[in-house]
Amino acid sequence: MRRPLPLLPALAAVLLLAACGSEQAGARNGGVGASDSTPRTQVIQPAVDGVRITSVTLPSASASAGPSASDGGPVKAERLPTGLAAGSGVSAAYEVTNSGTEELTYTVRFDFTTSAGETMGNERVTVRSVGAGRTVRGTVRQGPLVLGASQVTTVKVGEVTKVPADEAPTEPGVCPASGIRVSADEGDAAMGLRVVGLILENCGDRDYTVDGYPQVTLLDEDHEPIDGVKIFQGSGGISTVAGFDDPPRPVTLKPGERANAGLMWRNTTGFGTAVDVPYVRVRAESDAEPVMVTPHLDLGTTGKLGVSPWRRPPE
């Protein structure tokens, strides 16, 4: 087997794109601007980890203001075709190019900003199974804005994560062959303490029993193991958090049931080099298939990470 943030609340936008060569995904997803009747103006912006915006479309009200070079590049607004402006927000055409040697799944956060650089909202898009040397194209649209929000004039690539396609968390509604689905939540923070939850779901058709701790490997931007961090079974003295130092017990999950575990650390900084962990490879148990999640652990200089045992979520 190959080895494989929060601004405003993100409005989920998942595009399932198969990477068989260079694809025009905008038309497949009903993207604004997919029709040849709307001319596209190319955007000259550098790619971010293989992702770049190629054009921006604004509703008529926003297009009158027009973005400028100060918005991050010579982005020229396009007016939407008649009849679309009233029901459509800002949209952007983008392309994802995999210049690596293995098939990757990308998750991209697109930021919708004003001419002053203020972020009015963001959308996360998952682009699955982009083959090595392939390019996939698509369209992302802005979700509804709160009343009184400033006009959006620019769309930018805010953050990109990419994982080997065979280790990517499965999309909602799809169960892997193993019958178990592993994912991570967005985490919680208080007074420098950070906790990210791991979720194990039995999506198969038979009972599944797990006993012990999730197996985790910390990885850098190149998916290489990170040294210098001590991983503890339990809290490791980092803090007192309910459940972290409970002894592990067998948990049998019926189809549709879930178990939880957690990663805990402090992001305090002192002497030494701060450690940033963009990727975590998780196995539900030692012989389970790996899943790579992207909770982004900012460990500071503490060099310690606590892992709690699998347990049923509190009722």
Side-chain angles (χ1 to χ4, degrees):
M1 180 179 296
R2 296 174 297 172
R3 274 190 333 97
L5 299 149
L7 295 171
L8 298 178
L11 300 172
V14 178
L15 305 179
L16 308 180
L17 306 173
C20 8
S22 178
E23 301 182 12
Q24 286 286 352
R28 292 174 53 198
N29 293 287
V32 174
S35 170
D36 293 337
S37 63
T38 303
R40 285 288 184 182
T41 302
Q42 285 195 341
V43 175
I44 303 175
Q45 288 186 3
V48 178
D49 287 336
V51 182
R52 75 182 187 94
I53 294 170
T54 57
S55 64
V56 174
T57 301
L58 303 178
S60 296
S62 296
S64 61
S68 65
S70 63
D71 300 327
V75 182
K76 295 185 178 180
E78 302 168 0
R79 293 179 181 271
L80 294 178
T82 303
L84 289 180
S88 302
V90 178
S91 68
Y94 64 86
E95 63 181 26
V96 178
T97 300
N98 179 2
S99 58
T101 58
E102 63 179 334
E103 190 174 64
L104 298 173
T105 288
Y106 292 72
T107 298
V108 186
R109 191 193 76 225
F110 292 97
D111 294 337
F112 293 77
T113 66
T114 67
S115 58
E118 183 181 5
T119 299
M120 290 291 101
N122 46 60
E123 300 284 342
R124 288 189 185 272
V125 174
T126 296
V127 185
R128 295 188 178 274
S129 302
V130 182
R134 304 292 188 177
T135 295
V136 171
R137 297 181 176 88
T139 302
V140 60
R141 300 174 187 79
Q142 182 184 26
L145 293 176
V146 297
L147 186 64
S150 300
Q151 285 186 347
V152 169
T153 60
T154 308
V155 185
K156 299 179 179 179
V157 178
E159 180 185 58
V160 179
T161 58
K162 48 191 177 183
V163 304
D166 59 358
E167 292 191 37
T170 55
E171 59 199 88
V174 175
C175 188
S178 64
I180 59 171
R181 182 186 293 121
V182 176
S183 59
D185 64 22
E186 295 185 359
D188 195 8
M191 299 296 291
L193 183 67
R194 302 288 189 267
V195 177
V196 164
L198 300 178
I199 303 165
L200 172 65
E201 179 184 1
N202 180 0
C203 57
D205 56 7
R206 63 185 65 184
D207 291 357
Y208 180 84
T209 299
V210 64
D211 185 7
Y213 300 84
Q215 308 297 303
V216 300
T217 304
L218 309 184
L219 305 173
D220 63 17
E221 290 283 356
D222 298 319
H223 304 157
E224 295 293 335
I226 292 176
D227 297 324
V229 177
K230 176 67 174 177
I231 300 177
F232 295 90
Q233 290 186 341
S235 69
I238 297 171
S239 184
T240 301
V241 174
F244 262 77
D245 289 308
D246 290 350
R249 296 184 177 88
V251 178
T252 298
L253 303 175
K254 295 184 179 301
E257 292 185 336
R258 295 183 175 188
N260 292 341
L263 308 178
M264 176 173 62
W265 73 99
R266 288 192 179 276
N267 67 341
T268 52
T269 302
F271 294 104
T273 302
V275 177
D276 187 67
V277 181
Y279 300 99
V280 180
R281 180 175 288 129
V282 181
R283 286 179 168 87
E285 47 192 345
S286 59
D287 59 349
E289 292 294 321
V291 177
M292 196 178 296
V293 297
T294 56
H296 203 115
L297 314 183
D298 50 341
L299 300 183
T301 57
T302 59
K304 298 171 67 175
L305 178 72
V307 182
S308 75
W310 292 114
R311 61 189 185 275
R312 290 186 179 277
E315 296 181 357

